[in-house]
Amino acid sequence: MKPQILQLNPILIPAINDELASLYEVHKYFEIADQAAWLQQHGAAIQAVITGGHTGISRAMLEQLPSLKVVAVNGVGTDAVDLAYCRERGLPVTATLGALTEDVADLAIGLLIAACRNIAAGDRFVRDGQWELHPSPSAIPLARRFTGMNIGIVGMGRVGRAVATRAAAFNCPIRYTDLGRMDDVPHEFVSDLRDLARASDALVLCAAADKAEGIIDAAVLDALGPRGFLVNVARGRLVNEDDLAEAITAGRIAGAGLDVFVDEPRVPAALRESDRTTLQAHRASATWETRGAMARMVLDSVAQGLAGQRPTMSLTT
Ligand code: 8YV
């Protein structure tokens, strides 16, 4: 009999789905109508879980899966998994470390340029026929130059460093904050987030959200100021979204480029309706190349976990 695995999120690479189906009995949780009843009936047989970074897995669900040998996260963020509990249980939780760094950094820079240059609003202006109605160049306000901007990176892990490499190519002075100074990073370390915001034209959020909920609040946004931009490619809950919505609406910051939100897929109306924001639907890793590499790592982690080996990408064992 094939091992039974529970998949909490779709995988968008057909070849990987075929491979999964050939090796395992795959239960697609997202297609099950009565999930609670299903779990009660089949939970005991599940040996591996595949989930997304944002979705993770609740402790309540883990407790209903007593035969579990591995949780493979198809992403790098593990803030939605109770790692302490998994450690206690000796359960490997794996992530796709390194696979999505470049794409997430690409989107961070893309969102920042889009926000500075009002690319999305400009697109709407042309697409909606507004250009013909308002042909004067003064119909669209001048934008903000990205090259040379002071960039403040919040979280200097793999993604933060990849953002820094890209920003440096645009002659941007770079500062960063993290839990501590890093000897192998050539940029200025600023321990206080408000000081970093004050010194920055743009803050780029690349931090893990495990211990940093709501760190971007009204005080930080005011320190960033009315010419400042915020980019978030990490987790929505790093930001106090009410504070951000107010700052955007009142023009207390210049703009924001956001790929992630507190309660996805719900996005506050103030953020959706403003021309100061450029929005994406949590797409930073969503390329064929990266999702293919991530899914391959997930397959390897599941195979290693089911074979009773410590998965190479395990964060807990
Ligand atoms: C994932 C993410 O790609 O890596 C993460 O933590 O949030 C995402 O970008 C997403 O979870 C897809 O599974």
Side-chain angles (χ1 to χ4, degrees), residues 242-289:
D242 291 337
D243 288 2
L244 175 61
E246 278 174 31
I248 285 286
T249 305
R252 284 177 16 244
I253 66 167
L258 307 169
D259 184 46
V260 287
F261 303 88
V262 170
D263 184 25
E264 295 169 11
R266 279 163 289 277
V267 176
L271 298 180
R272 280 189 280 113
E273 286 162 11
S274 174
D275 264 355
R276 292 182 192 279
T277 57
T278 302
L279 309 176
Q280 286 286 293
H282 200 144
R283 302 285 293 165
S285 67
T287 66
W288 282 104
E289 293 79 2

Side-chain angles (χ1 to χ4, degrees), residues 9-10 51-55 73-79 96 100 104 233-235 259-260 282-286 290-291 294:
N9 286 129
T51 186
H54 182 73
T55 306
V73 176
N74 189 21
V76 280
T78 49
D79 50 302
T96 59
L100 45 69
V104 177
V233 288
R235 279 290 182 269
D259 184 46
V260 287
H282 200 144
R283 302 285 293 165
S285 67
T290 284
R291 286 291 170 85
M294 288 164 67

Side-chain angles (χ1 to χ4, degrees), residues 12-317:
L12 304 178
I13 309 289
I16 296 286
N17 287 319
D18 293 346
E19 203 168 324
L20 276 171
S22 73
L23 294 168
Y24 310 115
E25 193 176 330
V26 182
H27 302 283
K28 298 189 173 170
Y29 195 64
F30 47 93
E31 289 175 355
I32 295 169
D34 188 347
Q35 294 177 329
W38 189 93
L39 257 190
Q40 241 183 356
Q41 207 183 331
H42 303 279
I46 298 300
Q47 295 189 49
V49 161
I50 298 176
T51 186
H54 182 73
T55 306
I57 182 168
S58 70
R59 180 161 174 166
M61 184 184 272
L62 285 169
E63 284 169 350
Q64 286 180 274
L65 306 173
S67 312
L68 204 55
K69 291 183 176 163
V70 58
V71 174
V73 176
N74 189 21
V76 280
T78 49
D79 50 302
V81 183
D82 188 338
L83 294 183
Y85 168 74
C86 292
R87 255 178 223 120
E88 260 170 44
R89 217 171 120 169
L91 183 63
V93 176
T94 67
T96 59
L97 305 174
L100 45 69
T101 309
E102 309 304 331
D103 276 355
V104 177
D106 285 355
L107 193 75
I109 296 295
L111 279 171
L112 182 48
I113 295 177
C116 291
R117 301 296 301 268
N118 300 325
I119 291 176
D123 176 86
R124 288 192 290 274
F125 186 78
V126 177
R127 194 181 295 275
D128 296 348
Q130 293 297 315
W131 195 10
E132 280 176 47
L133 297 175
H134 309 281
S136 160
S138 65
I140 305 180
L142 292 176
R144 175 77 189 274
R145 174 188 289 174
F146 166 60
T147 292
M149 258 187 165
N150 285 290
I151 303 295
I153 297 179
V154 179
M156 207 42 139
R158 289 184 182 83
V159 172
R161 289 167 193 231
V163 169
T165 305
R166 286 155 177 73
F170 286 86
N171 292 329
C172 295
I174 295 158
R175 299 175 182 81
Y176 73 100
T177 194
D178 206 303
L179 300 179
R181 185 188 310 277
M182 295 175 180
D183 293 338
D184 58 342
V185 172
H187 308 296
E188 185 185 336
F189 171 67
V190 181
S191 63
D192 184 79
L193 185 48
R194 263 187 256 181
D195 290 342
L196 181 69
R198 217 166 280 120
S200 302
D201 299 309
L203 277 185
V204 183
L205 308 185
C206 306
D210 307 60
K211 295 179 196 120
E213 193 161 343
I215 55 171
I216 306 297
D217 58 9
V220 172
L221 294 168
D222 285 336
L224 187 59
R227 282 178 48 78
F229 291 83
L230 179 74
V231 168
N232 192 0
V233 288
R235 279 290 182 269
R237 56 201 186 78
L238 290 170
V239 177
N240 179 322
E241 225 167 48
D242 291 337
D243 288 2
L244 175 61
E246 278 174 31
I248 285 286
T249 305
R252 284 177 16 244
I253 66 167
L258 307 169
D259 184 46
V260 287
F261 303 88
V262 170
D263 184 25
E264 295 169 11
R266 279 163 289 277
V267 176
L271 298 180
R272 280 189 280 113
E273 286 162 11
S274 174
D275 264 355
R276 292 182 192 279
T277 57
T278 302
L279 309 176
Q280 286 286 293
H282 200 144
R283 302 285 293 165
S285 67
T287 66
W288 282 104
E289 293 79 2
T290 284
R291 286 291 170 85
M294 288 164 67
R296 178 57 50 199
M297 285 181 175
V298 164
L299 270 179
D300 290 347
S301 294
V302 168
Q304 291 164 347
L306 290 179
Q309 301 159 0
R310 179 189 172 276
T312 325
M313 296 285 172
S314 175
L315 300 168
T316 48
T317 56

